[in-house]
Amino acid sequence: MKAYIVGVGMTKFEKPETRDWQYWDMVREAGTAALTDASVTYEDIEQAAVGYCFQPSTAGQRAVYELGLTGVPVYNVNNNCATGSTALMMARQFVEGGGSDCVLALGFEKMARGSLGGGGADGGAGDFKTSPVARHYGIMAAAHGFEMTPPTAQIFGNAAREHMERYGTTEAQLAAVAAKNHRHSAGNPYAQFQDPYTVDEVLAAKPIHRPLTRLQCSPTSDGAAAVVVVSERFVERHGLGDRAVEIAAQAMTTDTDASFASGTCIDAVGLPMSREAARQVYERAGIGAADLDVIELHDCFSINELLTYEALGLCGEGESGALVESGATTHGGRWVVNPSGGLISKGHPLGATGIAQAAELTWQLRGEAGPRQVPGARTGLAHNIGLGGAAVVTLLRR
């Protein structure tokens, strides 16, 4: 049975503590928008998958109680930065398996200010000996030592150093990723940041972990996003064909030996996972990278966008720096990557990120993205990854 997205909604992503709101306020706003967009009510929802990382167990229930008290099953999802796309995957499986006709996938986060740590769900550096990502940081420490910089920026920054040493990637090419995404976000009213920056301004920003500057790092953010996923018969019964975007293929992968065998940060931050998830999606959908129009990918740091170009097959190994520099991944190029501004500029409330990607692609494929619209977009790909690890790739098709 096919699954379709028929309604999407999200809050503006905000710097933590900017607004006086709780996570259930965010969910009320995003969830109501998605239900309205789908022309359904919460009474139509049969199950809900709710993703978050920084709240206690059953916070998903507390959140959706703002939408209704109907007693439907609520599943709390926590999968690091891939939490939102994991909730979306669960919703799709509920529908494709024939168990439900109308499911809500939600993600939210209310975060603390400052850099995200690397030790677990509390966001702090924690004790890496017991952290679920201890093995990943052990790879980093063995290859590069450990510096007094934010752990997540450090492991990705070290991946950038490896890429530069191996392939000749330049700091300007890394900065070009951030400049592109900040420029894209100027047309997105939901983005945390909407100011464009030049490559030189990105390079001149405060260093976080060389070669990454502040403008190349995704911020901590508050916000929520929601999608309504339904069956083909629900679409037909409710006359939603003009709103429906098909989830044409989806795959999730976790770490294999390939993440650790090379001893590199490039592999430890998830390149092998992303490559395999993309391979599965292309195979299931019968398409390749050349068939894509618009892509929302996990640019938690500028280097990860470059690594993901290679994982998705947009270019060959080591060619991603030249690809972004050529203009191939912005408006007027071969693909438009992160028209929303991506994580770097739109923001990164962990539980909401993957679902916000799906919302952006749904708007793009419907032709509703306003000034950031990719003309004639019919096929969109979302890529969402979390250390620890999970990579989710989702193909949406109009």
Side-chain angles (χ1 to χ4, degrees):
M1 185 179 296
K2 293 182 178 180
Y4 295 85
I5 294 174
V6 294
V8 299
M10 62 181 289
T11 68
K12 186 179 189 301
F13 287 179
E14 303 271 13
K15 183 178 181 179
E17 301 173 20
T18 298
R19 284 176 62 176
D20 182 19
W21 58 353
Q22 296 296 329
Y23 64 85
W24 50 83
D25 299 317
M26 305 172 192
V27 167
R28 184 192 312 114
E29 184 176 326
T32 299
L35 294 169
T36 301
D37 186 45
S39 298
V40 301
T41 68
Y42 191 69
E43 285 67 30
D44 294 303
I45 300 299
E46 299 168 52
Q47 302 195 73
V50 186
Y52 57 91
C53 294
F54 297 101
Q55 296 294 334
S57 180
T58 69
Q61 280 88 332
R62 175 64 185 89
V64 298
Y65 288 171
E66 296 298 314
L67 303 174
L69 291 163
T70 60
V72 299
V74 176
Y75 304 86
N76 292 270
V77 182
N78 182 337
N79 218 12
N80 214 335
C81 300
T83 291
S85 57
T86 303
L88 175 60
M89 188 166 189
M90 289 179 65
R92 175 191 62 80
Q93 290 173 331
F94 293 153
V95 169
E96 284 190 353
S100 298
D101 282 321
C102 186
V103 179
L104 187 64
L106 277 164
F108 66 83
E109 216 67 76
K110 184 171 172 63
M111 301 181 72
R113 290 192 177 191
S115 299
L116 186 67
D122 64 354
D127 178 359
F128 285 118
K129 292 181 180 178
T130 59
S131 165
V133 291
R135 188 169 183 178
H136 303 73
Y137 284 97
I139 292 289
M140 180 189 77
H144 300 277
F146 196 87
E147 300 179 35
M148 296 307 294
T149 56
T152 50
Q154 190 170 161
I155 194 168
F156 280 95
N158 287 332
R161 295 178 188 180
E162 293 170 359
H163 206 270
M164 295 168 72
E165 292 167 3
R166 186 182 300 179
Y167 304 115
T169 307
T170 67
E171 292 191 16
Q173 289 170 338
L174 287 162
V177 170
K180 170 184 69 71
N181 293 346
H182 282 290
R183 184 173 67 250
H184 287 176
S185 73
N188 186 359
Y190 296 100
Q192 183 168 339
F193 302 121
Q194 296 171 45
D195 296 324
Y197 296 94
T198 66
V199 168
D200 287 341
E201 288 172 327
V202 173
L203 289 170
K206 177 184 176 182
I208 301 299
H209 182 85
R210 192 189 63 80
L212 302 179
T213 65
R214 181 180 62 85
L215 292 174
Q216 297 177 63
C217 304
S218 59
T220 51
S221 313
D222 287 353
V227 299
V228 178
V229 180
V230 303
S231 66
E232 190 167 16
R233 63 191 173 207
F234 191 96
V235 170
E236 294 171 353
R237 188 182 308 138
H238 293 265
L240 295 172
D242 62 334
R243 314 295 295 156
V245 171
E246 181 188 0
I247 305 176
Q250 192 175 43
M252 179 193 293
T253 56
T254 57
D255 288 308
T256 65
D257 288 343
S259 296
F260 309 109
S262 70
T264 65
C265 290
I266 285 176
D267 287 342
V269 298
L271 176 62
M273 287 195 297
S274 297
R275 183 184 292 121
E276 175 58 18
R279 184 198 66 77
Q280 291 182 27
V281 163
Y282 292 152
E283 183 177 287
R284 291 169 190 173
I287 68 167
D291 300 299
L292 304 175
D293 298 314
V294 58
I295 300 165
E296 283 283 311
L297 61 77
H298 197 92
D299 61 318
C300 48
F301 300 90
S302 58
I303 180 59
N304 208 50
E305 179 156 329
L306 295 188
L307 294 178
T308 307
Y309 290 170
E310 298 172 19
L312 297 181
L314 307 190
C315 63
E317 188 175 303
E319 298 174 356
S320 54
L323 186 72
V324 71
E325 203 168 42
S326 74
T329 58
T330 189
H331 295 277
R334 178 62 191 82
W335 306 273
V336 181
V337 178
N338 286 331
S340 68
L343 284 61
I344 283 175
S345 198
K346 179 179 62 182
H348 184 26
L350 273 64
T353 290
I355 294 178
Q357 291 177 329
E360 175 67 22
L361 291 177
T362 297
W363 286 320
Q364 289 285 347
L365 298 182
R366 288 177 178 170
E368 299 173 348
R372 62 190 188 281
Q373 179 67 48
V374 178
R378 305 291 293 177
T379 306
L381 192 81
H383 162 270
N384 190 203
I385 194 168
L387 287 181
V392 183
V393 173
T394 306
L395 181 72
L396 299 182
R397 187 159 51 199
R398 183 72 164 145

